[in-house]
Amino acid sequence: MGKSISEAIGDDHAQFDVLYENLKNATDDAAKVRWRRMIEWTVARHAISEELTWYPAMEKHLGEEGVRLSKTDKEQHQDVCPHLRNSHDR
């Protein structure tokens, strides 16, 4: 059987840490660009996946609490966007 949604989300978050460490340890510009792009695509896929599956499920099954949690998560995703855009300037 496949992973639960929460397990997949946790795996994504762990992958962000690994990708970020790889970016920090990159020694040349080409490698840095590759790691930044990998982070950007991984974050984008993750955010879209949560918005299409996780948030609607939380809102449906948890009611007002799910709506509140979804709102908080979406705001966190919006906070990440400027950091991703600014990563191109480095």
Side-chain angles (χ1 to χ4, degrees):
M1 179 171 215
K3 295 178 187 177
S4 70
I5 293 173
S6 59
E7 289 171 328
I9 290 170
D11 288 351
D12 280 356
H13 288 197
Q15 185 179 13
F16 298 151
D17 294 337
V18 171
L19 294 172
Y20 181 69
E21 284 302 313
N22 287 333
L23 173 61
K24 285 191 337 185
N25 294 326
T27 57
D28 62 82
D29 289 341
K32 290 176 184 178
V33 168
R34 282 193 305 274
W35 287 117
R36 272 198 298 270
R37 287 181 180 157
M38 180 67 82
I39 291 169
E40 291 166 0
W41 280 106
T42 302
V43 169
R45 179 198 45 79
H46 171 81
I48 291 167
S49 296
E50 279 190 341
E51 291 185 16
L52 292 175
T53 59
W54 187 243
Y55 300 154
M58 285 195 312
E59 292 170 5
K60 178 180 177 183
H61 297 288
L62 300 177
E64 289 301 315
E65 179 68 4
V67 171
R68 186 188 65 73
L69 292 168
S70 292
K71 182 177 185 259
T72 300
D73 282 4
K74 288 175 187 177
E75 289 169 354
Q76 290 173 349
H77 285 176
Q78 289 303 310
D79 289 343
V80 170
C81 289
H83 298 290
L84 290 175
R85 284 191 290 273
N86 291 337
S87 73
H88 290 288
D89 299 334
R90 294 181 197 139

